[in-house]
Amino acid sequence: QVQLVESGGGLVQAGGSLRLSCAASGSFFSIYTMGWYRQAPGKQRELVVDMTSGGSTNYAGSVKGRFTISRDNAKNTVYLQMNSLKPEDTAVYYCNAHYRNLEIWGQGTLVTVSL
């Protein structure tokens, strides 16, 4: 079973960029749909973007054109490049792996965007 560890969060000014990484341990990383979710204080967790094993992506409208997901199956890692960050992007970002009825979450990494 895959285990996930996120990194790359931090404090950034509005308009800045961050790149999140999610390293997976375990087998068969390439078959999973990998995604990034976020949860802001007082709000529900929401999908930011996901990418199927075939490379199809699904972005939330609020991040489309600013965020980019990529994956390196050789390194068992998925990335989230976040550009033009806004204060409303402030949240804990979670990595997610999904395959059939199996769903795995990372521990989350905090992204804070200041004015």
Side-chain angles (χ1 to χ4, degrees):
Q1 181 170 320
V2 169
Q3 294 180 317
L4 307 173
V5 178
E6 301 99 332
S7 61
L11 174 64
V12 63
Q13 286 189 326
S17 299
L18 280 175
R19 189 176 83 153
L20 305 183
S21 299
C22 173
S25 62
S27 303
F28 307 113
F29 171 80
S30 63
I31 70 173
Y32 286 83
T33 291
M34 299 301 300
W36 289 96
Y37 289 70
R38 66 186 181 187
Q39 186 166 17
K43 295 188 176 181
Q44 289 189 328
R45 192 174 298 188
E46 62 175 3
L47 173 69
V48 176
V49 58
D50 63 18
M51 176 182 276
T52 68
S53 58
S56 297
T57 57
N58 177 34
Y59 286 90
S62 60
V63 307
K64 198 172 292 185
R66 300 189 297 123
F67 291 10
T68 303
I69 189 172
S70 60
R71 65 193 293 170
D72 186 336
N73 289 336
K75 295 183 178 180
N76 280 12
T77 303
V78 62
Y79 305 96
L80 182 65
Q81 178 66 44
M82 305 186 294
N83 299 328
S84 302
L85 282 160
K86 305 175 181 180
E88 50 264 43
D89 294 318
T90 294
V92 177
Y93 284 70
Y94 295 91
C95 183
N96 173 274
H98 173 75
Y99 179 71
R100 294 186 178 178
N101 63 343
L102 181 64
E103 190 163 39
I104 303 159
W105 294 93
Q107 82 288 352
T109 186
L110 177 63
V111 171
T112 304
V113 184
S114 63
L115 288 170

